[in-house]
Amino acid sequence: TPGAWWPKIILGWGYLHQNQNGPALASLRSAVANSHGASFAVASLAQGLAHAGERTPARRMLESLVASADTRYISAYDVAAVQAALGDTSAALLWLQKAFEERSAMLIHVGWDPRFDRLRGEPAFRAILAAMQLPDRPPPKTGTLRRNPVSM
């Protein structure tokens, strides 16, 4: 079930954001193993490998994912994220366009998803945001979470 491996992906992304590649890759590899190779987990590991500079294994995983699209659903959004991590801007934008054409629900995140930061200046990226009427960044935080005084 996703509950068993989803937290490992989130943890891996957190480590990547902090440039802690070792713990990130360990967490992402565990997610792939626990998910029995779910495409989202594999794509997340491929992104992590690319981020860590392990481009060859990341490309191999990406090629395997794309090849498996003949027999199972592979999210164009996930492929775009791996392409972006590999620094292939044109391929990432093509896959994001495909995700748009597929009406991928994941695209609601594209405006703030840090995996696409390097694409933000690209006209094609901005066109996707405009077509979806999405902002380029999440709304600013307005404060901290507080306890509900009524429930205290």
Side-chain angles (χ1 to χ4, degrees):
T1 65
W5 50 269
W6 177 246
K8 295 177 185 305
I9 290 176
I10 300 300
L11 182 61
W13 287 346
Y15 281 130
L16 285 176
H17 187 69
Q18 297 172 359
N19 289 315
Q20 295 182 31
N21 296 331
L25 294 177
S27 188
L28 295 169
R29 284 185 174 108
S30 177
V32 170
N34 285 298
S35 73
H36 305 289
S39 62
F40 181 75
V42 172
S44 295
L45 176 56
Q47 293 161 39
L49 290 166
H51 180 83
E54 296 184 35
R55 299 172 60 77
T56 300
R59 284 197 186 282
R60 276 193 219 120
M61 291 181 90
L62 176 62
E63 290 166 4
S64 177
L65 272 176
V66 172
S68 72
D70 290 340
T71 59
R72 65 181 180 152
Y73 174 74
I74 302 297
S75 167
Y77 187 88
D78 293 343
V79 173
V82 177
Q83 294 286 12
L86 286 165
D88 192 342
T89 300
S90 59
L93 290 167
L94 287 172
W95 281 97
L96 277 179
Q97 182 61 40
K98 183 175 180 176
F100 179 78
E101 291 164 6
E102 292 176 350
R103 299 176 187 257
S104 170
M106 292 301 294
L107 275 173
I108 63 169
H109 305 291
V110 75
W112 60 265
D113 189 336
R115 297 176 297 168
F116 296 105
D117 281 352
R118 63 178 54 172
L119 305 180
R120 295 196 186 286
E122 297 292 327
F125 184 84
R126 301 190 78 61
I128 290 169
L129 291 176
M132 295 184 62
Q133 299 179 355
L134 289 174
D136 190 13
R137 291 280 181 200
K141 293 181 181 175
T142 57
T144 59
L145 294 176
R146 290 176 273 200
R147 283 195 166 131
N148 183 345
V150 175
S151 65
M152 294 175 88

